[in-house]
């Protein structure tokens, strides 16, 4: 019987180590590799403690914590728990006594009257219905605001000279409301496209060009991916932002009227009497063309009315000082979000958030314990950070990345954990961000050491690289990696893809994401060990991580966001 399957049997019956008996072979390879890159001193990967992680998950995902929503008592209990664990592990608090970095937040909710959109056409005013014709969100930047201005259609609203796109070319949008198609031209590479297609990027471009407001348009392509009707369910959702010292929001653009999204039937009215109809423009997209912009005949008025709540919620920060006289002044940020989405409004059930992200926090704590217990401390310093308000827009990590307790230039890498999907013992891992920096090689090397392989992103169309906390660090020019378990189960009876897709369909952001709902702690052990191996490699390597030559994100965020 091959050692391998033997391992499979042993693993399934008893929580034995899953590292393949044949680990000597990869170790031989690693030996050769590490010799040439000066990693020979890398210690053995120590054993991770499943029961310790189970205890952390069960506490954090307990009903008493009420789903750990940002700003809630349950979240504060979770933060106190993580701080106590950090103290237990001997991590240093560099943000004062309590390991807390308070994040000042603003929660915006609709005020009566909410938002209105009126088109002033030659045939008279057309008033659109919120939640039927258009969508809007309460603004964290403005309590009450009104803007009346001319309309200019700007295609997709993208300015990407490196890709030969300037949708504003030849258009004067000074003091205008710009109207742009949601999405992006299909020839842009996935992650680059996601960057330029984001409302954040488009609104910044519009503001930079002098516009005073934005109207994004639903398109047939977007309707297929995310029906307008489905988005109306979130109309009453609050919007959050973190606050600067002067109490202005960190992300919202002050000089822009809060943006709205217009559905297709209503949007056609904006193009009545214009150079081209919206249907013509949709046909151009279908034919792979990039629609050119032009002025629209009418003006419009946008209003928005929101009430603001000021909320403070802590990131929990623990330092493991480096041992190398030089490299200890460089910091690896090991992050995981602690918050979740609280109580389900319709059912009053608790969204316990066991996989999302109590499991990520438990793995982060176990990695910290493995370092604290190691014979040799890391050469570089490591900041373990449990961040708040990830579910509200990556806000805790964004605030930390822009207000770090250490010199910004001393942060050399981010390793992020978010909903690792610990569902079965696995053969491979997926590293979002691996193709952008030397962290890709590091992760492949560490995975090999852990007897695992690195698999490509199975859902590139989801563009996960820009959707979790590591992206807050990428935006500050810091190479980052975000690992999840792969889709190859050790047990060939288990279809990993099916299991992950089923979890995402049935349990993601649902009350059923509970601690007794199939978290596999052998997978947790494997996952903690490979993340430890990555962090150890980054911490002890002579070279610090670097962006790949000519990498889009490396160049885009060279000097921060
Ligand atoms: Zn999450």
């Amino acid at each position: 019987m091959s050692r391998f399957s033997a391992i499979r049997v042993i693993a399934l019956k008893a929580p034995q180590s899953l590292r393949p008996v044949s680990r000597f072979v990869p170790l031989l390879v690693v030996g050769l590799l590490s010799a040439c890159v000066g990693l020979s001193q890398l210690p053995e990967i120590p054993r991770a403690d499943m029961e310790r992680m189970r205890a952390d998950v069960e506490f954090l995902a307990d009903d008493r914590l009420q789903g750990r929503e940002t700003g809630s008592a349950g979240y504060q209990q979770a933060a106190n728990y993580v701080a106590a664990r950090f103290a237990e592990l001997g991590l240093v608090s560099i943000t004062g006594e309590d390991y807390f970095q308070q994040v000042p937040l603003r929660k915006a909710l609709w005020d009566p009257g909410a938002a209105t959109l009126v088109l002033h056409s030659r045939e008279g005013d057309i008033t659109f219905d919120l939640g039927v014709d258009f969508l809007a969100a309460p603004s964290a930047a403005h309590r009450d605001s009104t803007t009346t201005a001319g309309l200019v259609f700007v295609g997709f609203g993208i300015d990407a000279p490196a890709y030969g796109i300037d949708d504003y070319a030849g258009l004067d949008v000074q003091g205008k409301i710009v109207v742009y198609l949601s999405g992006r031209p299909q020839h842009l590479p996935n992650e680059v496209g996601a960057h330029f297609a984001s409302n954040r990027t488009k609104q910044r471009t519009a503001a930079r060009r002098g516009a005073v407001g934005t109207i994004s348009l639903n398109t047939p392509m977007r309707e297929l991916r995310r029906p307008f009707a489905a988005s109306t369910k979130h109309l009453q959702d609050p919007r959050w932002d973190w606050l600067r010292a002067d109490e202005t929001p960190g992300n919202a653009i002050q000089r822009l009227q809060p943006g709205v999204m217009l559905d297709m039937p209503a949007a056609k009215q904006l193009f009545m009497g214009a150079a081209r109809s919206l249907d013509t423009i949709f046909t151009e997209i279908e034919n792979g063309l990039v629609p050119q912009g032009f002025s629209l005949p009418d003006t419009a008025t946008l209003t928005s009315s929101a009430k603001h709540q000021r909320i403070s919620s802590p990131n929990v920060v623990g330092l493991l000082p480096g041992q190398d006289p030089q490299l200890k002044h460089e910091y690896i940020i090991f992050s995981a979000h602690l918050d979740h989405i609280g109580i389900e409004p319709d059912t009053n059930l608790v969204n316990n958030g066991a996989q999302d992200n109590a499991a990520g926090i438990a793995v982060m704590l176990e990695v910290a314990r493995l370092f604290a217990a190691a014979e040799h401390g890391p050469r570089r310093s490591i900041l373990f950070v449990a961040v708040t308000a990830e579910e509200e827009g990556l806000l805790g990590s964004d605030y930390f990345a822009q207000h770090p307790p250490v010199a910004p230039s001393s942060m050399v890498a981010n390793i992020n954990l978010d909903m690792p999907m610990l569902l079965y013992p696995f053969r491979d891992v997926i590293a979002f961000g691996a193709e952008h920096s030397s962290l890709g090689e590091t992760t492949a090397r560490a995975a090999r050491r852990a007897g695992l392989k690195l698999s490509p992103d199975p859902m590139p169309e989801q563009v996960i690289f820009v959707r979790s906390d590591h992206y807050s660090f990428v935006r500050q020019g810091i190479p980052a990696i975000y690992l999840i378990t792969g889709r190859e189960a050790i047990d060939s009876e288990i279809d990993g893809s099916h299991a992950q897709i089923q979890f995402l369909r049935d349990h993601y952001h649902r009350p059923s994401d509970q601690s007794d709902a199939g978290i596999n702690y052998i997978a947790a052990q494997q996952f903690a060990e490979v993340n430890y191996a990555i962090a150890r490699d980054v911490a002890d390597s002579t070279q610090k991580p670097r962006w790949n030559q000519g990498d889009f994100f490396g160049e885009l965020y060279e000097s921060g966001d």
Side-chain angles (χ1 to χ4, degrees):
M1 186 163 70
S2 81
R3 276 178 325 128
F4 202 75
S5 54
I7 293 164
R8 182 168 63 77
V9 176
I10 294 167
L12 291 176
K13 288 218 182 79
Q16 295 291 336
S17 152
L18 273 170
R19 252 177 271 145
V21 178
S22 62
R23 70 183 174 157
F24 299 108
V25 179
L27 271 181
L28 196 63
V29 175
V30 166
L32 287 172
L33 262 176
S34 59
C36 54
V37 294
L39 291 172
S40 54
Q41 72 278 5
L42 276 173
E44 271 284 303
I45 302 178
R47 173 82 334 107
D49 180 344
M50 290 186 243
E51 295 318 314
R52 186 60 273 175
M53 288 186 274
R54 188 194 308 272
D56 288 331
V57 170
E58 287 177 356
F59 179 88
L60 294 169
D62 190 283
D63 278 355
R64 280 170 299 171
L65 274 62
Q66 299 280 289
R68 308 186 306 277
E69 188 171 12
T70 299
S72 71
Y75 179 83
Q76 189 58 49
Q77 269 184 279
N80 296 343
Y81 178 83
V82 172
R85 294 280 285 114
F86 278 178
E88 216 177 78
L89 293 168
L91 299 186
V92 178
S93 166
I94 57 170
T95 54
E97 297 309 301
D98 56 15
Y99 296 93
F100 293 157
Q101 177 194 43
Q102 290 299 335
V103 180
L105 294 161
R106 176 176 289 166
K107 183 178 183 178
L109 300 131
W110 282 127
D111 221 4
T116 65
L117 170 57
V118 178
L119 180 67
H120 309 295
S121 80
R122 288 181 206 141
E123 287 74 43
D125 280 359
I126 301 169
T127 301
F128 295 114
D129 292 332
L130 178 62
V132 180
D133 300 320
F134 75 101
L135 295 173
S139 163
H142 308 279
R143 279 186 205 282
D144 297 299
S145 57
T146 299
T147 299
T148 298
L151 301 168
V152 180
F153 172 63
V154 292
F156 283 106
I158 291 175
D159 178 9
Y163 294 87
I165 302 175
D166 180 2
D167 288 330
Y168 285 78
L171 297 170
D172 172 12
V173 301
Q174 281 290 336
K176 305 286 184 184
I177 295 171
V178 294
V179 177
Y180 52 69
L181 300 156
S182 63
R184 44 117 174 164
Q186 287 317 302
H187 70 268
L188 284 177
N190 248 343
E191 289 167 346
V192 174
H195 167 74
F196 286 114
S198 75
N199 231 6
R200 177 195 167 91
T201 305
K202 290 187 180 185
Q203 288 192 333
R204 288 173 161 224
T205 303
R208 213 174 41 246
R209 296 286 179 139
V212 291
T214 63
I215 296 176
S216 68
L217 302 180
N218 191 19
T219 65
M221 171 114 43
R222 187 187 182 282
E223 186 63 23
L224 283 176
R225 218 187 43 248
R226 190 146 181 245
F228 186 85
S231 305
T232 59
K233 275 204 307 267
H234 297 284
L235 198 56
Q236 295 308 322
D237 289 3
R239 283 301 166 86
W240 298 63
D241 202 343
W242 55 264
L243 294 172
R244 300 175 194 288
D246 63 3
E247 295 291 310
T248 57
N251 290 294
I253 305 169
Q254 282 309 108
R255 63 181 182 280
L256 268 189
Q257 169 76 26
V260 302
M261 167 177 265
L262 201 51
D263 197 10
M264 295 179 273
K268 288 183 178 151
Q269 308 200 57
L270 270 62
F271 291 78
M272 304 293 269
R276 300 198 309 285
S277 74
L278 191 53
D279 286 332
T280 306
I281 289 163
F282 288 152
T283 310
E284 289 169 6
I285 300 174
E286 263 165 48
N287 299 335
L289 299 172
V290 176
Q292 298 306 300
F294 50 88
S295 281
L296 294 170
D298 305 323
T299 63
T301 297
L302 284 164
T303 72
S304 172
S305 183
K307 52 178 179 268
H308 293 163
Q309 284 174 10
R310 194 181 194 292
I311 289 171
S312 178
S313 181
N315 289 332
V316 192
V317 186
L319 168 68
L320 181 71
Q323 304 301 309
D324 181 279
Q326 287 312 312
L327 297 183
K328 71 179 180 186
H329 301 297
E330 294 183 355
Y331 296 83
I332 299 162
I333 314 301
F334 204 110
S335 61
H337 76 90
L338 180 58
D339 66 303
H340 195 49
I341 56 174
I343 309 289
E344 192 172 61
D346 325 340
T347 62
N348 234 10
L349 291 171
V350 177
N351 289 294
N352 299 85
Q355 296 270 8
D356 188 16
N357 189 31
I361 293 284
V363 169
M364 178 180 78
L365 289 168
E366 183 56 11
V367 170
R369 187 191 69 80
L370 293 173
F371 271 105
E375 201 184 329
H376 303 288
R379 296 175 73 198
R380 286 186 173 84
S381 298
I382 306 178
L383 281 167
F384 293 93
V385 190
V387 293
T388 188
E390 186 272 349
E391 304 287 3
E392 319 307 341
L394 315 183
L395 297 176
S397 60
D398 192 29
Y399 184 84
F400 182 93
Q402 298 196 42
H403 305 80
V406 295
S409 59
S410 70
M411 296 191 285
V412 297
N414 168 246
I415 301 169
N416 184 49
L417 299 179
D418 185 1
M419 197 171 71
M421 289 195 277
L422 306 172
L423 301 170
Y424 43 78
F426 51 91
R427 283 184 194 289
D428 61 330
V429 287
I430 295 158
F432 300 105
E435 64 281 15
H436 294 290
S437 76
S438 61
L439 286 173
E441 291 153 43
T442 305
T443 303
R445 201 165 46 233
R448 260 196 310 274
R449 287 186 62 222
L452 301 165
K453 67 176 185 172
L454 187 56
S455 295
D457 177 359
M459 34 188 173
E461 75 293 347
Q462 293 288 335
V463 205
I464 306 253
F465 179 64
V466 303
R467 293 176 50 190
S468 186
D469 288 312
H470 58 283
Y471 199 59
S472 297
F473 295 93
V474 168
R475 281 208 300 241
Q476 300 311 314
I478 301 163
I481 204 102
Y482 160 31
L483 216 71
I484 63 168
T485 55
R487 292 186 165 189
E488 279 188 47
I490 288 212
D491 179 351
S492 54
E493 314 288 309
I494 296 174
D495 174 345
S497 301
H498 175 74
Q500 287 198 354
I501 291 165
Q502 189 189 32
F503 174 81
L504 291 170
R505 189 193 57 226
D506 301 342
H507 304 300
Y508 173 62
H509 281 192
R510 301 278 182 80
S512 55
D513 177 10
Q514 296 183 335
S515 58
D516 56 3
I519 291 198
N520 185 293
Y521 285 95
I522 297 177
Q525 182 185 49
Q526 287 183 282
F527 199 63
E529 290 170 9
V530 68
N531 274 285
Y532 169 85
I534 295 168
R536 175 59 80 172
D537 197 321
V538 178
D540 290 359
S541 301
T542 306
Q543 281 259 354
K544 68 179 177 188
R546 58 201 175 284
W547 293 102
N548 294 341
Q549 192 68 35
D551 181 79
F552 172 77
F553 293 99
E555 295 193 346
L556 179 69
Y557 294 124
E558 205 151 32
S559 52
D561 189 22

